Each structure stands twice: as structure tokens, then as C-alpha cells.
């Protein structure tokens, strides 16, 4: 009989893990505590390293109608709107890194992942199912749900996000670290913004103590706004917490009218405190393993949290491919070894980017942004090259392609 994995958490990481393990012949069961699989109203950028895996997983055709391909990634000054850097993306990403750079509504990505999983393994997602703990068994693991139900498997995967119950049991309780930043987010139809629509790029607007990111989702019909602001006094985390429009406007007072216009037109503005955690010593314990934000939460300033959870899922399946039950602990240890260096670097560069985007004084801005501007003008190829280690990663196929004779 094929081995079974219980995946705790039906977010982007958990659903990707279920698909990847099913692709290598495992039985999968996803436990999601929420009453339905859904995602918040916000966009997510998926860089070419993530898109390559979504292609391999057979998910990309399900996203084609709703995704948006930005012309470029830009950095602009938040107040003047002056362009510091423009890196062409459309076509250039496929040419340089082997896949597209896309922007998509989270709900559309999750719908695509769910549809793909349903095709590969119908009825494997259980909603309203909150995992409370796990217990090691002689040749596997048992997962205890909050309602007392017990489930057995060869492997339990904690894909249960930044406040992971599974992580807490594996490594002891602790709290993720509040970074002193909050994130505003909003979605606004492009047609409402007229001449004040932000450019159709992935645009990072930088300035003193804050930055904003504008992207497009729903095939370009909606502008997605994220505004990250240094605030030490507000630590509530939760995608569904609403904030006041006048507070968001006050945070971005004096900034480019295109950003203010998005805030003014937003029907709802959500507010979210940003947390991270230093790298963990391990993500595995016998027949239990972590992935995604449960293992390595990171700041959004590289747009990699979801992408890295997709990479985790794929590489975990690579390590488990053809593994016998008694070798699972070794296989998941090799998954950790394979992943830790790369995600630690992504965590580090994400934190560095935040500092770069929030330069506190004019001299610090000139010192940091002048070289960025110059490099973009004189050697754009060199700037693109800095992303090769991340976007250019090549992934071995998970399954042997069938010959169509
Ligand atoms: C403002 C902002 C912008 C971002 N933009 C990007 C971007 O552009 N690109 C990108 O790649 N990343 C981005 N990220 C990061 C990305 O959102 C996260 O890294 C990603 O969603 C993590 O996915 P996950 O599946 O690991 O965890 P989550 O999405 O947190 O999913 C965890 C799931 O587990 C469930 N769960 C929790 N506990 C239990 C339990 N005990 N039992 C059962 N179920 C449980 C939860 O209900 C949830 O559904 C951004 C983050 C922020 C804050």
C-alpha cells in the first residue's frame, strides 16, 4: 500500500505539498481548521522559480485566465514618483530564468491549487479540522485533532503557518518576533483610478520609514496595494483586521498621488503586523516535518514567502520519492539540508531589502539609491544577474514524463 501523509494546513504551502506528494504516489489528507479553503482578498507575486514548479505541478493552465504578467519590476521614489530602476520582466523573465513572473489574486491561486488537487486526489481536504498535537508511533505518527479525532499516517507535515501548532510542539513554544512594521493592503478596480492608476508593473515605492508595492491581479483589472509602515505600537496580526482609511492616508501623506488615489478609492483597507523568526535549528522530528511559514516566516520585501513554501513542497516530494517507510526520517532530514541555506538567504535578503526601502534620511537615500539608479542605467544585465540564484533555480522533474507514442 502507498504511504500516507497528513498535511496540517490548507494554505498555499499545504495544498502544494498535497499535490506534489500525490504526484509521487502517496495518499494525502489535508486538515484545514477554517470552515472552507479560501484566501484573503490580496495579491501575491510568484517569481519564475515558483512558476516553474507550478508548471510541473500542472497548475499553471488553471491560472492562465486570471494571472497578470507585469511589463517590469520598478523601484520609484514614494514622494516624487521618480523612477530609480526598471527591470523588464515580460518575455525577459522567460528568456533569462526559464519561466514567467506573475501577479495573481490569492483566491485565484488557491482555487487553482484546490482544483488540481481535487483532480489528482478527490475529497482529500477536510475543513473545520484543527490539529492539536502529534504523537510518534513505532513506524509513523498519529495526529490528534481538537475534537479528539485521531488520524494515523507515515508522515505529518506542519504547513500551519507562522503560529504553527506543530512547530511549537517540535521546538517548544515561542512567539515570532514583531518587526516594528505594519502592512496596509487594499484592492481597487483599475477603471476607478483613471489617470491616477499606478503603472502596470510590480512597482516598489520607497521612502523614509515606509514603502508601498503596487501590482495588478484578476487579469489586470484590479490594483493590489501593500503599504508597509514602521509602527511600534500596533502588533495585531490577521489578514482580516480592518484599518481606518484616514490612518492609511495619514501614513502616506505627501506621497505620490497614484498611491493616495488607491487608498482613497479602497472600499476596505486591511492592516496586518509583520512578524518574522530567526532560522530554526531543524524542521523535522522522526515522521514529522515543517514547511512554508511554519518553518521560515519571512518579511514580504522579496515577495518570496509563498514561493518558498511551493519550493519546500516540491523539494520535500523530491526527497521522499522512492523512500521506504523506515527511511522517511532520513529523507526529511535531507529535505532540511537541501532547503535551509536557500531559505535562510531569502530571509536575510528580505530583511535587508526592507532596510533599503525605508532609508531614514535624505543623505542615506542618496547614498543608497544613487548606485541603484546608476546600475539600472549602465548595467541592467548586472542587476538582473543578482536574481539568478533565486529565480534561475532549475528543478529536476518530479515524475518521469509519459511518452505519447
Ligand atoms: C503583506 C504581505 C505580502 C506578501 N506578498 C507575497 C508575495 O507577493 N509573494 C510571495 O511569495 N509571498 C508573499 N507573502 C508571504 C506569503 O503570504 C506567505 O509566506 C504564505 O502565504 C505562507 O503560506 P503557508 O501555506 O506556509 O501558510 P499560511 O498561508 O499561513 O497557511 C496556513 C494554513 O494552516 C491553517 N492552520 C493553522 N493552524 C492549523 C491547525 N492547527 N490545524 C489545521 N489547520 C491549521 C490556517 O488556517 C491556514 O489556512 C506576503 C506576506 C505578506 C504579509
Amino acid at each position: 500500500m502507498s504511504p500516507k501523509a497528513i498535511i496540517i494546513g490548507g494554505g498555499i504551502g499545504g495544498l502544494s505539498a498535497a499535490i506534489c506528494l500525490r504526484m509521487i504516489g502517496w495518499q494525502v489528507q489535508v486538515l484545514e481548521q477554517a470552515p472552507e479553503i479560501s484566501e484573503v482578498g490580496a495579491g501575491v507575486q510568484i517569481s519564475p522559480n515558483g512558476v516553474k514548479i507550478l508548471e510541473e505541478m500542472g497548475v499553471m493552465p488553471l491560472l492562465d485566465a486570471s494571472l497578470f504578467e507585469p511589463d517590469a519590476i520598478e523601484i520609484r521614489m514614494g514622494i516624487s514618483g521618480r523612477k530609480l530602476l526598471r527591470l523588464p520582466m515580460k518575455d525577459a523573465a522567460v528568456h533569462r530564468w526559464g519561466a514567467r513572473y506573475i501577479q495573481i489574486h490569492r483566491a485565484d491561486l488557491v482555487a487553482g491549487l484546490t482544483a488540481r488537487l481535487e483532480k489528482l486526489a478527490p475529497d482529500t481536504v477536510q475543513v473545520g479540522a484543527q490539529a492539536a498535537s502529534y504523537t510518534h508511533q513505532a513506524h509513523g505518527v498519529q495526529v490528534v485533532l481538537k475534537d479528539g479525532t485521531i488520524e494515523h499516517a507515515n508522515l505529518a507535515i506542519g504547513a500551519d503557518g507562522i503560529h504553527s501548532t506543530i512547530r511549537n510542539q517540535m521546538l517548544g513554544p515561542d512567539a515570532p518576533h514583531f518587526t516594528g512594521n505594519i502592512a496596509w493592503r487594499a484592492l481597487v478596480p483599475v477603471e476607478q483610478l483613471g489617470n491616477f492608476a499606478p503603472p502596470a508593473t510590480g512597482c516598489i515605492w520607497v521612502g523614509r520609514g515606509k514603502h508601498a508595492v503596487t501590482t495588478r491581479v484578476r487579469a489586470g483589472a484590479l490594483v493590489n496595494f501593500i503599504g508597509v509602515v514602521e509602527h511600534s505600537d500596533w502588533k495585531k496580526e490577521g489578514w482580516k483586521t480592518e484599518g481606518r482609511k484616514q490612518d492609511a492616508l495619514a501614513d502616506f501623506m505627501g506621497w505620490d498621488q497614484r498611491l493616495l488615489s488607491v487608498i482613497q478609492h479602497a472600499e476596505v483597507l486591511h492592516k496586518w503586523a509583520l512578524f518574522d523568526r530567526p532560522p530554526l535549528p531543524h524542521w523535522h522530528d522522526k515522521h514529522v516535518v515543517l514547511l512554508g511559514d511554519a518553518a521560515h516566516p519571512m518579511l514580504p520585501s522579496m515577495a518570496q514567502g509563498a514561493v518558498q513554501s511551493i519550493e519546500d513542497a516540491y523539494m520535500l516530494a523530491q526527497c521522499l520519492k522512492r523512500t521506504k517507510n523506515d527511511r522517511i526520517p532520513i529523507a526529511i532530514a535531507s529535505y532540511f539540508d537541501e532547503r535551509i541555506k536557500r531559505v535562510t538567504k531569502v530571509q536575510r535578503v528580505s530583511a535587508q531589502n526592507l532596510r533599503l526601502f525605508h532609508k531614514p534620511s535624505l543623505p542615506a537615500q542618496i547614498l543608497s539609491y544613487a548606485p541603484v539608479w546608476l546600475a539600472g542605467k549602465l548595467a541592467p544585465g548586472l542587476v538582473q544577474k543578482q536574481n539568478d540564484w533565486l529565480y534561475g533555480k532549475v528543478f529536476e522533474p518530479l515524475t518521469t514524463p509519459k511518452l505519447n507514442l
Side-chain angles (χ1 to χ4, degrees):
M1 206 164 84
S2 47
K4 176 183 167 187
I6 293 178
I7 296 144
I8 298 130
I12 295 167
L15 293 170
S16 300
I19 295 170
C20 292
L21 287 192
R22 189 69 204 117
M23 284 172 70
I24 59 162
W26 281 51
Q27 301 172 65
V28 290
Q29 179 182 11
V30 179
L31 304 179
E32 169 53 52
Q33 65 183 6
E36 56 176 352
I37 295 284
S38 66
E39 257 290 355
V40 289
V44 63
Q45 308 197 65
I46 304 291
S47 52
N49 44 325
V51 170
K52 277 180 252 186
I53 295 177
L54 292 172
E55 275 166 359
E56 182 70 19
M57 284 160 62
V59 175
M60 282 313 289
L62 302 167
L63 308 182
D64 265 339
S66 55
L67 63 77
F68 182 76
E69 270 186 88
D71 292 337
I73 299 294
E74 293 179 333
I75 304 184
R76 288 173 183 260
M77 293 303 292
I79 293 178
S80 65
R82 178 190 280 266
K83 207 184 299 166
L84 292 171
L85 184 71
R86 180 183 165 90
L87 297 178
M89 274 295 150
K90 211 168 181 170
D91 306 328
V94 178
H95 182 70
R96 183 161 192 115
W97 298 300
R100 291 178 284 174
Y101 189 106
I102 65 163
Q103 300 169 347
I104 189 161
H105 196 296
R106 282 167 184 267
D108 295 339
L109 174 57
V110 162
L113 291 168
T114 311
R116 182 67 183 137
L117 179 59
E118 186 60 23
K119 181 129 198 249
L120 291 172
D123 301 324
T124 46
V125 180
Q126 214 176 312
V127 291
Q130 185 177 6
S133 64
Y134 64 83
T135 315
H136 296 299
Q137 302 216 291
H139 304 292
V141 59
Q142 74 174 24
V143 175
V144 182
L145 275 69
K146 200 175 167 213
D147 66 5
T149 314
I150 293 176
E151 302 283 355
H152 296 269
N154 303 80
L155 179 67
I157 302 175
D160 48 348
I162 190 165
H163 298 292
S164 166
T165 302
I166 304 302
R167 193 217 72 88
N168 274 358
Q169 181 174 345
M170 188 184 290
L171 289 131
D174 80 343
H177 151 254
F178 176 55
T179 60
N181 289 272
I182 63 131
W184 291 100
R185 69 181 170 80
L187 283 172
V188 177
V190 177
E191 61 183 25
Q192 288 183 10
L193 299 169
N195 290 337
F196 290 111
T201 59
C203 189
I204 305 161
W205 308 75
V206 297
R208 186 177 302 174
K210 69 194 78 163
H211 77 278
V213 180
T214 49
T215 54
R216 300 264 172 114
V217 298
R218 288 271 147 87
L222 298 178
V223 170
N224 178 61
F225 166 84
I226 303 279
V228 177
V229 187
E230 291 170 15
H231 271 292
S232 53
D233 53 341
W234 194 84
K235 300 186 182 173
K236 199 162 167 192
E237 193 199 21
W239 283 103
K240 291 185 177 117
T241 307
E242 287 189 23
R244 298 186 316 166
K245 189 175 282 192
Q246 64 261 42
D247 293 341
L249 284 171
D251 275 346
F252 285 93
M253 194 168 58
W255 276 43
D256 191 285
Q257 187 53 42
R258 286 168 285 189
L259 296 173
L260 297 178
S261 184
V262 176
I263 299 174
Q264 270 150 357
H265 282 87
E267 232 169 70
V268 210
L269 276 144
H270 286 94
K271 201 175 168 186
W272 156 290
L274 293 179
F275 289 82
D276 67 3
R277 175 180 276 126
L280 298 172
H282 58 90
W283 310 338
H284 52 95
D285 179 14
K286 296 180 182 161
H287 288 248
V288 185
V289 68
L290 302 174
L291 64 71
D293 277 7
H296 47 69
M298 54 185 69
L299 285 164
S301 16
M302 261 188 122
Q304 281 295 309
V307 175
Q308 290 305 310
S309 77
I310 295 169
E311 281 195 9
D312 284 348
Y314 193 79
M315 295 313 296
L316 178 62
Q318 284 284 15
C319 292
L320 287 167
K321 210 163 60 171
R322 292 186 283 274
T323 296
K324 293 208 169 71
N325 190 47
D326 59 345
R327 311 276 297 173
I328 286 174
I330 298 168
I332 61 179
S334 69
Y335 149 78
F336 172 75
D337 291 343
E338 163 73 37
R339 297 292 297 147
I340 186 68
K341 249 172 107 175
R342 181 166 168 88
V343 293
T344 302
K345 182 167 177 185
V346 179
Q347 282 177 305
R348 193 181 64 242
V349 179
S350 299
Q352 278 168 6
N353 275 359
L354 190 81
R355 290 193 290 275
L356 176 72
F357 300 161
H358 289 202
K359 285 294 165 196
S361 64
L362 192 63
Q365 288 180 355
I366 293 170
L367 217 63
S368 304
Y369 302 149
V372 173
W373 175 80
L374 212 60
K377 290 271 170 230
L378 299 181
L382 273 184
V383 183
Q384 297 281 42
K385 196 168 183 247
Q386 285 177 3
N387 290 318
D388 286 355
W389 69 275
L390 184 61
Y391 300 165
K393 186 169 166 76
V394 176
F395 299 92
E396 298 278 309
L398 202 50
T399 51
T400 322
K402 287 197 190 85
L403 289 178
N404 281 326
L405 294 173

